[in-house]
Amino acid sequence: MSRADAPMLRPARRFRDTALLSLGVFAGIVAALLPVFSVIAPGTWTAGAITAAAAVLASGLAMRFFALPAIAATVLEVVVAVVLLTAMFGRSTALLGVIPTPATIASVPGLFAAASEEIRLGVAPVVPGTGLSFVLVGAIAGLAIVLDHVVLTARMPLLGGVGLVAVSLIPTIAIPADVNVPAVLALAAAILFLLRMDTRARTRAVGSSGRRLGPRVWGASSTAIGIAAVAVVVTVVAVPLLPQPGLRFASGSGAGFGTTINPNLELGSDLRQPREVDVLSFTTTAPTPPYLRAVTLSRFDGTVWEPDTGDTVTVPGDVPVFDPVQVDGDVTLADWTTTITVGELDSPWLPIPYPASTVTGLEGEWLGLPDNRTIVSRAGSSRDQKYQAEAVVPRPTLEQIRSRPVGSDELPDAVRSLPPDVPAIIGDTARSVTAGAQSPYDALVALQSWFRSSEFRYSLDAPVEAGFDGAGMDAVARFLQERTGYCVHFASAFAVMARTLDMPSRIVVGYLPGTRAGSVEQGQTEFTVTSRQLHAWPEVYFRGIGWVPFEPTNSLGVPTNFASGTTGGSTNPADTPEQQDAATPGATRAPAPQLGDQDGPGSAGSGAGAVNGQSPVGVLLAVAGVVLLLLVAAPAVVRAGRRRSRARLILGGDAAAAWAEVRADAVDLGIPSPDAESPRAFAARLVDAHGVGADDVRLLRDALEHAIYAEQTVDPDRGPALADAVARVRTRLRAKATPVRRLAAVVLPRSLARRSGAPAVEVPESVG
């Protein structure tokens, strides 16, 4: 091939390189989409999303084939995306089935509302309906538009790769799971392909200009590829270590990433914890594994149960944190020790058995609340803590607890108070269920038995579907009518009904006893507690005994039931709900049900802890929106950073930086500035064709030529004059440009896609 033929092939090569970059962007989108299937089930929306991405990228490629401005490509891509969305989801109201009409536009809010409802009620992986499919396809089309311009127009493939990695990580953050190795490898291959194609295109552009291929081009590409390789390694290694979704009791508390405990009982729609995580393990000298409590809630305003606060004491280490529990002299006490090892639980509240008096082995600063015997940290975390808790536990007999009244003059008013507008069904039902009870204890056992009877059903979904999810007074009333819910509803209803009977009550947030791990440490069996065993249960105060827990949640735990002291054997009644007739000869302790289906015994959520943080689909869409916004804003941010960096150099008298900024401003506004063009020719063109002041251009050009000839690039004395000249040139160029050009210069600055070479210098001659 002759040298004369080479220039004819250069446009074809450039288009081929651009087409390969478009193909790389498409492959990256598909690869980033693969992890999404763990949150949203694939289906027809997948084909629609892939079609939309391909059509958007193809339309942008067509604009570049005809060498049309970047803004034209953007407009066409948006039009293509709108037409496709209309054809897929709005054909019935569209003109010719593809052109949106006012009726089509009016249907969009309904589609978003339907998507929101699907997110609110869906369980991962969600099978999307029309509304959610519309949002998903639109999001992928928007991602394709953004990446097309970040990678192909701004020529920032590394930034595009970071965006793709961020999108691919969203489902893993929403639902922690093992790394999808094929998806990671596919995405890595797509990103490396993008970087390779960009490097080749830049190399050809530099080579065609006749300049030597210096180390700068290859160095930058090597750095970019190195960063991409690190990103891939981090994705494979770090994703399994990311925090798990927050286990939350409050829908309004944010996404709550990290396996933690948020103790508010005002549940929203966030009901399902998609993946079970081991949060801690323990061994104990107790005859049965204890419940582990983290926080108590006594104040109830009719809408929200609030965590208890009060005076605190420093956890000293090896001496008692709290005074021994005060009981009547005839009540037996048992001394038990529990050793707890925390894993993935990242919470300021420390899970401990009740009523712990000494806690040793903690790292960091921890505070004890004597009023409820809980331990909290102001700045630390329970994660990776290993500590030992000693508890002196009251063990009353059935006769002893039946003979004790409830309440005490020393208790705060909060444990009895109720708002004035208690629905009649709550008090009436409490009195009806407990009619005929001979003692407060008998009344509470009657309530517990009623909740655990076949009249009630455990369900995570029913409260949301029926619209009464929460722990407020209205939710309790609806729960008593519907008779289906999860531990928050059972615990809140029990506590409120006890207060209508003038019994002091509160709610405890903590963990069920866990499951036997099979290993034995120093003769003690180890138990493992998972995130799905986060739980809520009520307590009632008995004079001379203290706070006694009950287990009303249907199908979970074992109900409280004390053994008679007249039937022989030791008197070891329950201190926690899982013990049942522990001292009665021949009595057996019913095992806690296994976790399985959501809507019955052994449901997938062991109490409140079975609820997840925000819906994973909602997390995905929200974070995807943020990622898209960041990708759109990134070119403008990078260009502003370069302008500020050059401004400092210009004020210092750097003539080359001043000239580079003028060229960048011109390129951003669509004025060509080829590397082969000399500064004098470019300066003359700015004056003749674009109305720039001749004096300003002469000052900048002469300073550059002087720097090149004298080999003195920086002259601090001329810095202010250069800065003023650059500012005036920019102002004149923008004044001559159209509004569209000015907008494009800010949103999508073309100068980021070019690599400046050393300017050619001619023999000086006059300008203007």
Side-chain angles (χ1 to χ4, degrees), residues 427-566:
D428 292 346
T429 303
R431 288 184 288 272
S432 174
V433 172
T434 61
Q438 299 299 311
S439 68
Y441 172 75
D442 290 336
L444 293 168
V445 169
L447 275 179
Q448 176 181 256
S449 300
W450 181 63
F451 280 121
R452 297 183 67 88
S453 70
S454 59
E455 294 188 38
F456 283 84
R457 182 173 65 93
Y458 184 94
S459 174
L460 291 172
D461 294 329
V464 177
E465 295 170 353
F468 66 90
D469 191 26
M473 200 68 76
D474 293 338
V476 170
R478 283 292 305 278
F479 169 66
L480 294 178
Q481 293 175 335
E482 302 292 337
R483 301 192 177 184
T484 180
Y486 50 95
C487 70
V488 167
H489 300 93
F490 286 97
S492 185
F494 187 101
V496 172
M497 294 173 77
R499 290 188 182 186
T500 65
L501 300 175
D502 198 27
M503 299 184 186
S505 63
R506 66 187 183 187
I507 293 177
V508 182
V509 175
Y511 285 96
L512 289 165
T515 55
R516 190 183 301 271
S519 60
V520 177
E521 293 186 5
Q522 298 179 352
Q524 299 177 13
T525 301
E526 184 179 11
F527 295 86
T528 300
V529 178
T530 70
S531 56
R532 289 182 178 173
Q533 290 168 319
L534 188 62
H535 191 47
W537 64 91
E539 290 183 336
V540 176
Y541 189 88
F542 284 80
R543 187 175 302 171
I545 297 175
W547 288 100
V548 176
F550 290 84
E551 182 57 281
T553 301
N554 196 296
S555 80
L556 291 182
V558 176
T560 297
N561 194 358
F562 288 86
S564 172
T566 63

Side-chain angles (χ1 to χ4, degrees), residues 406-413 416 541 543:
V406 294
S408 170
D409 294 337
E410 298 178 356
L411 293 176
D413 293 338
R416 289 184 181 271
Y541 189 88
R543 187 175 302 171

Side-chain angles (χ1 to χ4, degrees), residues 231-311:
V232 172
V233 172
V234 169
T235 301
V236 174
V237 175
V239 167
L241 305 178
L242 288 172
Q244 309 299 322
L247 305 178
R248 305 192 298 110
F249 288 84
S251 61
S253 59
F257 291 112
T259 303
T260 186
I261 300 173
N262 188 325
N264 293 321
L265 293 177
E266 186 184 7
L267 283 174
S269 60
D270 309 332
L271 298 176
R272 286 153 293 273
Q273 173 66 23
R275 179 172 179 259
E276 193 170 15
V277 179
D278 291 345
V279 294
L280 60 88
S281 62
F282 67 88
T283 59
T284 183
T285 60
T288 54
Y291 280 38
L292 299 178
R293 55 201 285 119
V295 65
T296 62
L297 304 94
S298 300
R299 296 187 300 277
F300 180 54
D301 62 4
T303 303
V304 177
W305 289 88
E306 297 182 3
D308 292 335
T309 58
D311 296 335

Side-chain angles (χ1 to χ4, degrees), residues 31-48:
L33 200 58
L34 295 178
V36 176
F37 297 152
S38 65
V39 178
I40 304 171
T44 55
W45 74 269
T46 311

